[in-house]
């Protein structure tokens, strides 16, 4: 047993005695011994000795379970309160009636009779927690350094490094934490450029001012408390020497992290297919930054349009184009419409018919992720609300004030949101392993990267065969990434323990797509839902999946507020959005190049290489 455990057991026992004595005295004084479950123990010497013994044992149990946490006296007291509550259930409600031959007292009458002692138990717990914290703090002050000498941290003998703090990376770390339960011989390190796990299904709502940005993201440090988190950019992986090169910021030197097992979960990045102007003039929707930038841009455009005299410029400002008719693009165009129409009351010079919303999609129908009848329903609903759809149409390029579409079409706009293409993280191309045409690492059914023995992969950066679907690649969704991360962790543990590996097997539960305006479509295990019911399901399902109780409460509050109040139009950034900042200069630039002027050949010389 470690010295800190011995310390916590002893301090817990002493604290339990203090709390127990105070409790017995209070119950006696109030004439509540029976209600507290102490009646069976008479006030004879043996009875008192038994009470003292019970108080010591219960206190030691407290110390062993909750352990001492420095600077956490409030948390220690609240865990004491919880402990007291549990003992109220275990003592007067369960053990005392059992000892008295009445069976467990889980009836309303028994609970009613024991209720007066609830306060006593809660106070007992709080006092035990407080005494425990005070005793350990005194001990540490009296013997500084005693524990450091007695218990040097064990050097880890195995290191698992996880790259990426999204669904795949965080679930790998969480499962490893469970499987190795603070084993000092295993170090788990997670490297990510963002210090939070982003709940992407709600990203469009952040961009439309429906949700606060921080509410849909959970800090990785809180989600994986026993993992060493490194906020840094991964610069490279050397699989021969088994080290990862990371850099926390451009001004600091590169740090190397050695690994025994490496988990790749770097996700994907937007793919612009080399189309002209896209990288410079589009809004992407992958990060919190993307969503807040788009939100500020849309609101800044409304501010500008409200005072703009030129009809052409107003039209450009009030035209919002989304490229890509998958779930991200469809949800985004619906949310943009909800945002703009929801706040028009603040912009008296903008008429309701002026804002225009266009979705450009290369396929015949939107939402290829769900069945045709539901996609048709979504299309009809969104068309009724005024969204224009350009199907079988590809984006060919973009400039600061236009989107070029198809074979020469042009939409005058300052807003193009790009959800039409993603590619696996480019860093993967440097790895000496098998990759598919898109650049994703190829993994086998156990999620081991083909060609590298101790490298594993999860999520959007990998091509993983779906054994339930004739080995076709798993779709790039959060529900897959999350479960793949768990299997990666299980298989790393299996290799370290010499056990057989698991296969990744997962059947998609379903797809839910929010269409704004309290409408959605949902397909769950073949069952189809649409309208208000599907919207309710969307919210319930995603709220339950959102990590952390605190975030759930915050999002539920945001949604409740959204029912009664218009969306917030506070601009959280004073900087003009890049598109707007460049508007005037770039417009004349592009016009002089002959691409945007009235009657110009528009997209004629723009080559189509892919896209929406
Ligand atoms: C708008 C939107 C809506 C979506 N809606 C849904 C939905 O409703 N349902 C669903 O199942 N899926 C949805 N998805 C898809 C889902 O988000 C992805 O499939 C999932 O996030 C993939 O998880 P991942 O761990 O592979 O990658 P990600 O979650 O993208 O995580 C990648 C991580 O790697 C980090 N990273 C990247 N590069 C580096 C680097 N060089 N150095 C350090 N760290 C790096 C990133 O910061 C990030 O933490 C949506 C996606 C988007 C964009």
């Amino acid at each position: 047993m470690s010295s800190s455990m011995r310390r916590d057991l002893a301090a817990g026992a002493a604290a339990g005695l203090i709390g127990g004595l105070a409790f017995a005295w209070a119950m006696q004084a109030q004439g509540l011994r029976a209600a507290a479950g102490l009646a069976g123990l008479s006030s004879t010497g043996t009875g008192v000795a038994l009470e003292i013994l019970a108080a010591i044992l219960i206190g030691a149990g407290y110390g062993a379970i909750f352990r001492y946490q420095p600077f956490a006296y409030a948390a220690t007291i609240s865990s004491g309160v919880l402990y007291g509550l549990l003992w109220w259930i275990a003592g007067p409600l369960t053990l005392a009636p059992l000892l008295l031959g009445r069976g467990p007292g889980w009836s309303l009458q028994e609970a009613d009779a024991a209720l007066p002692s609830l306060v006593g138990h809660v106070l007992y717990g709080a006092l035990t927690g407080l005494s425990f914290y005070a005793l350990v703090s005194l001990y540490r002050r009296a013997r500084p350094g005693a524990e450091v000498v007695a218990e040097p941290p064990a050097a880890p003998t195995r290191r698992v490094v996880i790259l990426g703090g999204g669904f795949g990376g965080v679930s790998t770390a969480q499962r490893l934490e469970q499987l190795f339960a603070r084993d000092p011989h295993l170090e788990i390190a997670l490297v990510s450029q963002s210090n939070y796990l982003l709940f992407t299904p709600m990203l469009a709502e952040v961009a439309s001012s429906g949700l606060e940005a921080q509410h849909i993201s959970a800090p990785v440090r809180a989600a994986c408390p026993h993992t060493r988190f490194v906020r840094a950019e991964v610069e490279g992986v050397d699989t021969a020497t088994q080290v990862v090169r990371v850099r926390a910021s451009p001004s600091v030197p590169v740090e190397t992290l050695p690994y025994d097992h490496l988990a790749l979960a770097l996700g994907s990045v937007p793919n612009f297919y080399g189309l002209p102007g896209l990288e410079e003039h589009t809004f992407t929707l992958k990060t919190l930054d993307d969503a807040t930038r788009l939100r500020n841009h849309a609101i800044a455009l409304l501010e500008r349009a409200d005072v703009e005299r030129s009809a052409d410029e107003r039209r450009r400002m009030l035209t919002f184009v989304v490229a890509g008719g998958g779930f991200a693009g469809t949800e985004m165009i619906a949310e943009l419409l909800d945002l703009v129409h929801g706040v028009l009351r603040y912009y008296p010079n903008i008429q309701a018919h002026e804002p225009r919303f266009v979705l450009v999609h290369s396929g015949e129908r939107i939402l290829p992720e769900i069945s045709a009848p539901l996609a048709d329903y979504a299309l009809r609903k969104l068309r009724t609300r005024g969204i224009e759809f350009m199907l079988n149409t590809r984006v060919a390029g973009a400039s600061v004030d236009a989107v070029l579409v198809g074979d020469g079409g042009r939409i005058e706009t300052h807003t193009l949101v790009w959800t039409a293409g993603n590619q696996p993280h480019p860093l993967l191309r440097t790895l000496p392993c098998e990759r598919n045409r898109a650049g994703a690492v190829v993994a086998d059914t156990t999620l081991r990267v083909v060609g590298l023995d101790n490298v594993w992969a999860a999520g959007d950066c990998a091509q993983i065969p779906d054994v339930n679907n004739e080995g076709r690649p798993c779709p790039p969704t959060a529900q897959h990434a999350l479960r793949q991360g768990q299997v990666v962790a299980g298989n790393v543990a299996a290799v370290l323990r010499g056990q057989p590996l698991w296969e990744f097997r997962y059947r998609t539960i379903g797809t839910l797509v929010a269409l704004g305006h309290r409408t959605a479509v949902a397909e769950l295990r073949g069952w189809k839902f649409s309208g208000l019911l599907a919207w309710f399901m969307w919210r319930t399902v995603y709220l339950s999946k959102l990590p952390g109780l605190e975030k759930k409460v915050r999002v539920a509050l945001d949604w409740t507020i959204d029912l009664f109040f218009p969306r917030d139009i506070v601009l959280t950034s004073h900087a003009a959005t890049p598109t707007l900042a460049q508007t005037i200069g770039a417009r004349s630039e592009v016009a002089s190049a002959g691409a945007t002027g009235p009657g110009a050949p528009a997209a004629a010389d723009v080559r189509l290489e892919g896209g929406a």
Side-chain angles (χ1 to χ4, degrees), residues 113-146:
L115 199 61
S117 76
L118 173 62
V119 179
H121 277 86
V122 167
L123 286 177
Y124 156 76
L127 192 61
T128 303
L130 183 65
S131 316
F132 173 75
Y133 187 83
L135 287 170
V136 180
S137 300
L138 283 174
Y139 171 79
R140 281 163 57 95
R141 206 170 292 175
R143 302 191 60 194

Side-chain angles (χ1 to χ4, degrees), residues 140-463:
R140 281 163 57 95
R141 206 170 292 175
R143 302 191 60 194
E147 287 154 31
V148 180
V149 175
E151 203 181 356
T157 50
R158 301 293 172 103
R159 290 185 170 86
V160 181
V161 175
I162 301 161
L163 305 185
F167 287 99
V170 167
S171 66
T172 306
Q174 286 178 326
R175 187 78 186 115
L176 279 172
E177 285 187 3
Q178 283 170 0
L179 289 169
F180 288 90
R182 303 194 206 181
D183 179 347
H185 303 295
L186 183 90
E187 182 186 78
I188 311 163
L190 188 152
V191 186
S192 181
Q193 58 196 186
S194 53
N195 77 340
Y196 54 82
L197 163 64
L198 176 63
F199 196 69
T200 48
M202 292 179 182
L203 202 55
E205 284 190 71
V206 172
S208 69
S209 212
L211 290 174
E212 288 288 331
Q214 302 96 302
H215 297 178
I216 67 157
S217 37
V220 176
R221 287 176 190 276
C224 314
H226 307 299
T227 295
R228 180 184 162 208
F229 176 70
V230 182
R231 183 175 174 251
E233 180 98 21
V234 180
E235 293 212 332
V237 177
D238 187 339
T239 51
T241 53
Q242 302 199 166
V243 290
V244 178
R245 291 189 307 281
V246 304
R247 197 191 284 269
S249 81
S251 57
V252 301
V254 170
E255 193 192 333
T256 53
L257 298 175
Y259 66 83
D260 294 292
H261 286 268
L262 179 70
L264 303 170
L266 287 167
S268 59
V269 296
N271 188 352
F272 300 112
Y273 305 103
L275 292 169
L278 248 63
E279 196 159 355
E280 302 88 322
H281 301 299
T282 54
F283 289 85
T284 48
L285 195 63
K286 295 289 284 177
T287 64
L288 269 191
D289 216 31
D290 290 344
T292 41
R293 218 162 59 85
L294 177 57
R295 172 194 175 278
N296 279 325
H297 170 79
I299 294 168
L301 284 176
L302 293 177
E303 297 289 348
R304 290 268 307 265
D306 196 53
V307 292
E308 177 63 53
R309 299 237 174 117
S310 151
D312 284 349
E313 185 54 20
R314 272 170 78 88
R315 204 171 311 120
R316 266 182 224 113
M317 288 176 170
L318 295 174
T319 298
F320 300 89
V321 182
V322 172
F327 52 67
T330 306
E331 290 188 345
M332 194 60 253
I333 196 77
E335 281 295 329
L336 276 173
L337 182 135
D338 274 5
L339 165 67
V340 171
H341 282 290
V343 301
L344 270 191
R345 71 183 76 179
Y346 298 122
Y347 301 96
N349 298 322
I350 303 176
Q351 306 305 309
H353 67 269
E354 286 185 274
R356 184 181 171 208
F357 303 88
V358 185
L359 189 133
V360 184
H361 181 54
S362 62
E364 251 172 53
R365 69 166 173 99
I366 59 165
L367 297 174
E369 301 91 345
I370 58 172
S371 57
L374 280 183
D376 287 347
Y377 171 91
L379 185 71
R380 260 183 286 122
K381 272 279 164 199
L382 294 175
R383 272 195 173 137
T384 315
R385 289 173 55 206
I387 294 172
E388 296 168 40
F389 287 86
M390 298 177 83
L391 300 179
N392 292 315
T393 307
R394 285 174 184 267
V395 167
S399 69
V400 77
D401 51 13
V403 178
L404 310 175
V405 289
D407 298 329
R410 176 185 175 88
I411 309 168
E412 298 280 330
T413 180
H414 289 311
T415 313
L416 170 62
V417 185
W418 181 255
T419 68
N422 288 313
Q423 58 181 329
H425 199 286
L427 190 111
L428 304 169
R429 292 197 199 115
T430 61
L431 295 176
C433 65
E434 199 174 321
R435 280 181 301 278
N436 69 6
R437 263 171 31 137
V441 294
V442 175
D444 62 20
T445 53
T446 65
L447 308 190
R448 205 197 295 250
V449 173
V450 175
L452 294 169
D453 269 358
N454 51 353
V455 182
W456 310 80
D460 292 5
C461 72
Q463 179 183 301

